[in-house]
Amino acid sequence: MKLRYDWTAQEVLHLLQAPLVDLLWQAQAVHRQVNPGYTVQLASLLSVKTGGCSEDCAYCSQSAHHPQALPTPAQTLSLEQVLEKATAAKAAGAHRFCMGWAWREIRNGPPFEAMVAMVQGVRAMGMEACVTAGMLTDEQAQKLAAAGLTAYNHNLDTGPAHYNQVVTTRTYGDRLATLQRVRRAGITLCTGGILGLGETLQDRAELLVVLAGMNPHPESVPINALVPVEGTPLGEQPPVDPLELVRMVATARILMPRSRVRLSAGRTSLSREAQLLCLLAGADSIFYGDRLLTTPNPDVSRDQDLLQAAGVRWRQPHGDGEASQG
Ligand code: SAM
Ligand code: DTB
Ligand code: SF4
């Protein structure tokens, strides 16, 4: 399959607005070629450092700019606590373990040494390890790569024109520069966006143009629906229409055929059927476990039901096999 890196906003808009049945047909045709067994990756999330972040992201419960959104004091988990959660995630069937720090950028010293040890510990369990912790230096990226880090998550969130409506403490360019550092260190990229931030369809198209313009494409593309958190500037946003999410997933699948498209935050507001449509549209990963970072996620038994109802397989830890229903 020939991959393209030169999609235009007009082409992407055309896909986002195509009749849903046509869009789904096209996305499925692409997805079947690259993932014939329909294997889904289960990724579990853990917030290692929660709250007190100096950035002002309007959607985020962890920003110190709107402290009423997260009334508990900032806290950091120890290496032992993190590895205990990772062990439980693996036992529940997670293939990737993603750890989050509410930081503008990674700090050196003991917190960074702990991060490196957490990555090593998760890798030693046979799971993929992902970190999301804000900006980083080349040296930090190289140390994380040496520790075995599989992926670094750093979302672009929305299109470049809408970005400063959502975050003012950093620029889109800062985000892109961090992604380049991650790439240079040989760590795979996990970068995607959020629907429901007040963006236009054009903004969504432009986000996808930026993502699909990366060569290679990001290995992992999370598509989040805003989880409106009371006390944040976006806490009163209207819910995202589930079919908009389906369209975004399908378009991402068509543009970046080989990337993992992860149906991410916002699933507790989706019906089982809407989630099935997202899987049919080409999502091949979900966040798995009853919490995201600070907000709830569907519980494990509901997700196992969902995957069984869909008849898809999911990847086991170790990458040494697959499970399916039964
Ligand atoms: N501080 C680091 C950063 O911003 O890159 C890592 C942690 S941050 C919480 C990770 C990502 O979670 C954000 O980039 C954003 O895309 C997503 N996120 C945060 N709050 C969200 C919400 N309420 N709804 C949906 N996605 C959210
Ligand atoms: C991503 O794209 N979504 C995840 C993960 N990558 C880090 C985070 C979702 C956070 C949802 C809000 C919360 O739980 O605080
Ligand atoms: Fe901080 Fe990340 Fe939340 Fe922004 S999204 S406030 S950078 S934790």
Side-chain angles (χ1 to χ4, degrees), residues 53 55 57 59-60 62-63 102-103 170:
C53 182
E55 301 277 36
C57 313
Y59 47 76
C60 186
Q62 303 195 68
S63 166
W103 283 342
R170 57 171 189 253

Side-chain angles (χ1 to χ4, degrees), residues 53-57 59-64 66 101-104 132 134 157 167 170 175:
C53 182
S54 62
E55 301 277 36
D56 70 351
C57 313
Y59 47 76
C60 186
S61 64
Q62 303 195 68
S63 166
H66 26 267
W101 279 258
W103 283 342
R104 169 177 167 76
T132 183
D157 288 344
V167 186
R170 57 171 189 253
R175 258 352 227 184

Side-chain angles (χ1 to χ4, degrees), residues 15 20 27 56 77 121 124 155 157 168-169 191 246 265 267 294 298 307 324:
L15 283 169
L20 190 58
D56 70 351
L77 302 183
N155 288 336
D157 288 344
T168 70
T169 49
T191 181
V246 173
R267 288 198 299 117
T294 66
L307 298 172
S324 59

